[in-house]
């Protein structure tokens, strides 16, 4: 478990160095954080500023993708299947007021206002790699808190073996629901030990600002060692279950998307290789880098799967 940040660690601004800032620093003859570079209007972080602590032990030192890349190249099928659709169309999502229903095998259940869910949670910044099953990746400075500290508050019983998460499904706000591309609402799940792992994050922001709608406002999961589709957006329900939940992607294509979905360069998707990935914004369109087991988090999480055949449980 991570400790709460000391007041001296609290910082309203961030430790990240976006590629734009890095380039600006190089162009100016030194690495100066915040040096100006003629950025496009779309590359200025916007939205409510958050206050958070730093969590360097959980953060990669790789360069973060730019705000523009992180907020305009998205998968959020409730707003369409094109990468540009969420940024264009997610303005119709109303994120306040927001309620989260807690249900299933837990002592404390019911409907909770988002403010209540967040009460007492110390926010911290964690710079994580996100590896999409489509073989591209980004580095994103999230702001959030460990899912474990939320789960403890609701006191799951000994029968709770899994956690199921559900996204809002309101056709009035989400034009993508008209398409049957997935079985709505979007559902994801974790085994309890995965959910309790200190790397598993409930995100409420990125780049020091409240989450933009297209990135899953106001509350989303981030599981950095799994393919991006496990990181479910705009969560309205969290249920503790005895049986393994069926996830939307498993229901859509069970041979292609498993429940575990751990990033694994040795287990190909039936239609393409998972050995390499394209880092968005880095190099040419054709540059690829090697994909790492568990997306580079093997030291922290491989133990969760000891003795499991990861080719079978993909
Ligand atoms: N959550 C919901 N509700 N709907 C989605 O379509 N797409 C997933 C995941 N969470 C998705 C979702 C996929 S495939 C990825 S790669 C990540 O969100 C992308 O997160 P980002 O757009 O913030 O980078």
């Amino acid at each position: 478990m991570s400790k709460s940040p000391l007041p001296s660690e609290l910082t309203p601004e961030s430790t990240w160095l976006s590629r734009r800032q890095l380039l600006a620093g190089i162009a100016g003859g030194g690495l100066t954080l915040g040096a100006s570079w003629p950025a496009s209007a779309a590359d200025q972080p916007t939205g409510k500023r958050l206050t958070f602590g730093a969590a360097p032990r959980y953060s990669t030192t790789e360069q973060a993708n730019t705000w523009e890349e992180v907020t305009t190249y998205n998968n959020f099928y409730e707003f369409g299947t094109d990468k540009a659709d969420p940024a264009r169309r997610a303005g119709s999502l109303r994120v306040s007021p927001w309620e989260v229903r807690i249900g299933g095998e837990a002592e404390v259940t019911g409907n909770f206002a988002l403010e209540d869910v967040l009460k007492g949670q110390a926010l911290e910044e964690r710079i994580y790699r996100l590896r999409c099953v489509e073989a591209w990746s980004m580095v994103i400075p999230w702001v959030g808190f460990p899912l474990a500290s939320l789960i403890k508050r609701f006191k799951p019983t000994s029968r709770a073996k899994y956690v199921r998460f559900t996204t809002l499904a309101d056709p009035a706000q989400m034009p993508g629901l008209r398409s049957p591309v997935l079985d709505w609402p979007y559902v994801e799940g974790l085994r309890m030990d995965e959910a309790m792992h200190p790397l598993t994050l409930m995100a409420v922001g990125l780049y020091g600002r409240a989450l933009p709608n297209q990135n899953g406002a106001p509350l989303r999961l981030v599981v950095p060692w799994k393919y991006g589709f496990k990181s479910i957006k705009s969560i309205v329900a969290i249920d503790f279950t005895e049986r393994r939940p069926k996830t939307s992607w498993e229901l859509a294509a069970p041979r292609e998307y498993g429940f575990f979905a751990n990033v694994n360069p040795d287990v190909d998707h039936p239609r393409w290789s998972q050995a390499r990935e394209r880092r968005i914004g880095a190099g040419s369109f054709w540059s690829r880098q090697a994909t790492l087991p568990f997306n580079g988090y093997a030291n922290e999480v491989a133990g969760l799967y000891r003795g499991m055949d990861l080719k079978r449980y993909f």
Side-chain angles (χ1 to χ4, degrees):
M1 280 302 306
S2 67
K3 61 179 177 54
S4 299
L6 302 168
S8 60
E9 293 174 326
L10 286 173
T11 154
E13 276 308 330
S14 182
T15 47
W16 35 257
L17 196 60
S18 78
R19 190 167 39 255
R20 175 171 58 79
Q21 288 167 320
L22 198 68
L23 288 170
I26 292 165
L31 293 181
T32 344
L33 183 70
S36 67
W37 179 258
S40 72
D43 201 22
Q44 306 294 341
T46 56
K48 185 176 166 257
R49 280 179 199 274
L50 303 173
T51 301
F52 50 86
R57 67 183 264 234
Y58 290 119
S59 293
T60 172
T61 53
E62 286 165 89
Q63 289 164 42
N65 279 89
T66 64
W67 167 266
E68 181 172 6
E69 286 159 351
V70 173
T71 60
T72 61
Y73 190 90
N74 299 103
N75 276 335
F76 198 169
Y77 279 16
E78 287 85 338
F79 295 97
T81 54
D82 193 276
K83 296 285 176 289
D85 284 339
R88 263 200 316 250
R89 300 162 91 185
S92 53
L93 179 67
R94 289 190 307 273
V95 299
S96 177
W98 192 269
E99 272 197 354
V100 183
R101 184 184 57 72
I102 310 287
E105 305 288 352
E107 285 175 34
V108 185
T109 58
N111 291 332
F112 296 85
L114 181 67
E115 297 71 31
D116 199 4
V117 173
L118 302 184
K119 199 157 54 195
Q121 301 291 355
L123 298 184
E124 52 185 44
E125 180 175 73
R126 296 180 176 205
I127 307 170
Y128 281 167
R129 287 178 290 277
L130 179 139
R131 167 59 160 83
C132 184
V133 73
E134 297 163 329
W136 51 266
S137 62
M138 290 203 207
V139 174
I140 303 180
W142 301 107
V143 178
F145 57 92
L147 173 63
S149 70
L150 180 143
I151 288 181
K152 281 182 194 147
R153 215 183 117 193
F154 298 106
K155 302 193 169 69
T157 70
S158 59
R159 281 197 297 278
K161 302 286 191 293
Y162 296 90
V163 190
R164 182 177 68 220
F165 304 85
T166 308
T167 293
L168 178 74
D170 179 0
Q173 301 180 58
M174 299 170 139
L177 297 189
R178 283 198 287 271
S179 153
V181 57
L182 286 175
D183 193 13
W184 312 111
Y186 194 103
V187 170
E188 261 307 336
L190 294 174
R191 211 170 57 188
M192 195 52 124
D193 59 344
E194 299 175 322
M196 295 300 289
H197 193 278
L199 278 173
T200 304
L201 193 73
M202 287 302 287
V204 295
L206 63 85
Y207 264 100
R209 310 294 184 119
L211 277 176
N213 289 359
Q214 60 267 37
N215 294 91
L219 184 70
R220 73 170 288 173
L221 187 67
V222 181
V223 195
W225 71 94
K226 292 180 182 277
Y227 290 117
F229 65 87
K230 299 295 285 187
S231 292
I232 181 172
K233 298 177 169 182
S234 304
I235 295 167
V236 290
I238 301 176
D239 289 278
F240 299 97
T241 67
E242 194 162 8
R243 313 220 14 211
R244 195 166 95 184
K246 279 275 182 215
T247 70
S248 296
W249 284 104
E250 270 185 290
L251 289 168
R255 287 188 52 255
E256 302 192 9
Y257 309 106
F259 175 82
F260 287 95
N262 293 317
V263 173
N264 192 338
D266 299 330
V267 177
D268 288 340
H269 182 280
R271 290 183 282 133
W272 61 84
S273 164
Q274 294 291 18
R276 304 181 74 73
E277 66 199 53
R278 177 169 67 95
R279 176 65 50 85
I280 298 299
S284 79
F285 180 82
W286 289 276
S287 346
R288 295 287 184 276
Q289 61 188 64
T291 287
L292 299 173
F294 298 104
N295 200 21
Y297 300 93
N299 285 345
E300 290 87 349
V301 301
L304 296 175
Y305 309 100
R306 201 160 287 131
M308 270 174 72
D309 176 357
L310 297 179
K311 290 199 158 68
R312 177 159 176 226
Y313 296 102
F314 58 93

